[in-house]
Structure formats: C-alpha cells, structure tokens
Amino acid sequence: MRDSIIAVEHVFKSVTDSTGTLDILRDIDFQLAAKETCAIVGASGSGKSTLLSIIAGLDTPSKGTVRLRGQDIFSVDEDARALLRAQSLGFVFQSFQLMANYTAIENVMLPLELAGRKDARKAATEMLARVGLSSRLNAYPITLSGGEQQRVALARAFVVQPSVLLADEPTGSLDHATGDSIMKLMFELNAELGTTLVLVTHDPAIAARCERVITIEAGEIAKV
C-alpha cells in the first residue's frame, strides 16, 4: 500500500438511552493510502455517516481511534482537532452547507481567511473559475441552482488543498445529469490536487469510480 494517511483502528460506536444500548459501529478497522479514492457504501442506517463523522473527528468513538498522518485525533482536545480539520480536511455535504449571507466568492474565501491566507480572493477566484463559475462570483446561494451551489461547495473544499476530502452523499440533492457532472468534476479535482477521497454514497455507479469500496452492513465491514 502507498503511505497510509488514514488509519481507522478497531472503532466501535454505541449509544445508550432508556431502552438500552444500540451498537452503531462494531470493530471498524482499515487503512487508506495517500491519494486513494474510497467509497463507503451500505443501506440507510448502516452507520456510514457516523463513520465519516468519526473519521473527521466530529463524533467520538466508544472504543478505538482514528489516525490522520499518524496522529491519533482523539488524543488531543477539541480545539486541536478543529485545527487539524482546518489544516488537513475538506468537506462536501448533500445539503451544500453554504453561508446564505455570503456570496459565492465569500464562501470560498472563508476557509482561506480563517487560515490567515493573504491571497484568499485571488485563490478563491481561480478555484471558482476552475469549477466553471467565473460569472457567478458575486451571486448569493439562493440565486444559484443546486448544481451551482455544489460547485461552490467543491471550490470551498478544494481551495485549501486538503490532504483528505470527506464527501457525504454529495449528489443526493441533485438530479442524475447534474449529479453526474458534479462527480466528474470532483474526481478531476481530486486527481489534480492529489487528495485522498472518502465518499459516502448509495449509488453503486459512483462507488465504482473509486479505487476501493468498503461496504458497511449493520455497523460492520462486510466487504473491503
């Protein structure tokens, strides 16, 4: 395997309420190489999105850990995890998650400005041009189509040149043709920037584009 960038080590996730304990993930264990593309697939409720949240350090496992470039992300506090996310991870969501009161270019500039980049506007302009939105720099999300909003989201995710891109059902809110064009663009950008892609999807055609497919069934890895 190429150099490992993500190591998910015997991760369990359980939640307990008045009705008892529910096991969401059980002994999830795998590694991903730098620049690898991986799809995580499975039925609704199988634990895919929970696993993605744990890889991102947004949720904590009941047992086990995740290492990013060898760093145990759960051995540090939340502030340190937030910094690690800002420095190493990009995110694309089904619901776009754009700032409604920010224009397209302001949305893409935001992570750069938070990182203290002096060239934020230039870099954001270039990335929006790369995703085909040069004419929509000053448009607000409400005036953009779903496909355009997801292109802005892709630009925002890739503009920081993350080591890892985490994508949760990125075409779930789009029609087939638009979704197909978004996935084509995502894979192109991923290859250009040498990013490791971890993609949660229900779509077997999208999963088939990845080098590797991990199937989750009832919280366990059924196929790697």
Side-chain angles (χ1 to χ4, degrees):
M1 178 182 276
R2 289 162 284 178
D3 293 341
S4 173
I5 191 167
I6 297 172
V8 179
E9 301 179 350
H10 301 289
V11 163
F12 292 74
K13 179 66 177 182
S14 301
V15 293
T16 302
D17 60 18
S18 59
T19 64
T21 299
L22 174 64
D23 295 324
I24 301 173
L25 296 172
R26 292 192 292 273
D27 201 18
I28 304 297
D29 191 83
F30 64 89
Q31 295 185 11
L32 296 178
K35 303 183 182 181
E36 190 170 7
T37 58
C38 174
I40 298 174
V41 302
S44 294
S46 60
K48 305 185 304 299
S49 292
T50 299
L51 175 57
L52 201 69
S53 292
I54 289 174
I55 292 172
L58 295 169
D59 195 359
T60 56
S62 303
K63 287 197 298 184
T65 197
V66 174
R67 297 182 190 275
L68 179 61
R69 293 191 182 281
Q71 169 69 59
D72 180 348
I73 66 173
F74 297 109
S75 68
V76 297
D77 62 23
E78 178 51 40
D79 287 343
R81 279 200 296 277
L83 180 60
L84 192 63
R85 282 193 291 272
Q87 293 174 336
S88 302
L89 303 180
F91 298 88
V92 179
F93 303 96
Q94 178 177 336
S95 55
F96 318 133
Q97 301 285 1
L98 300 179
M99 302 289 287
N101 295 326
Y102 283 29
T103 63
I105 192 167
E106 289 169 343
N107 267 282
V108 179
M109 287 172 62
L110 183 59
L112 297 170
E113 291 176 329
L114 291 173
R117 288 271 295 271
K118 303 299 184 184
D119 63 340
R121 181 168 291 276
K122 180 176 182 290
T125 300
E126 291 173 353
M127 185 56 76
L128 282 166
R130 174 62 186 85
V131 302
L133 291 177
S134 288
S135 64
R136 305 291 272 153
L137 300 184
N138 297 312
Y140 288 92
I142 196 172
T143 69
L144 299 173
S145 69
E148 287 173 331
Q149 289 187 63
Q150 197 61 299
R151 285 173 183 269
V152 174
L154 284 177
R156 180 183 60 188
F158 278 110
V159 76
V160 296
Q161 299 188 3
S163 300
V164 178
L165 180 72
L166 304 176
D168 193 358
E169 298 285 1
T171 63
S173 298
L174 305 173
D175 63 75
H176 178 76
T178 303
D180 192 62
S181 69
I182 289 295
M183 291 311 304
K184 182 175 182 292
L185 179 60
M186 178 183 288
F187 279 100
E188 286 175 356
L189 289 168
N190 194 75
E192 287 171 17
L193 297 174
T195 307
T196 302
L197 174 64
V198 185
L199 168 68
V200 165
T201 183
H202 282 95
D203 189 332
I206 292 174
R209 298 186 187 189
C210 293
E211 298 170 271
R212 188 171 176 194
V213 178
I214 295 175
T215 301
I216 304 294
E217 290 182 3
E220 297 181 297
I221 293 179
K223 179 181 179 183
V224 179

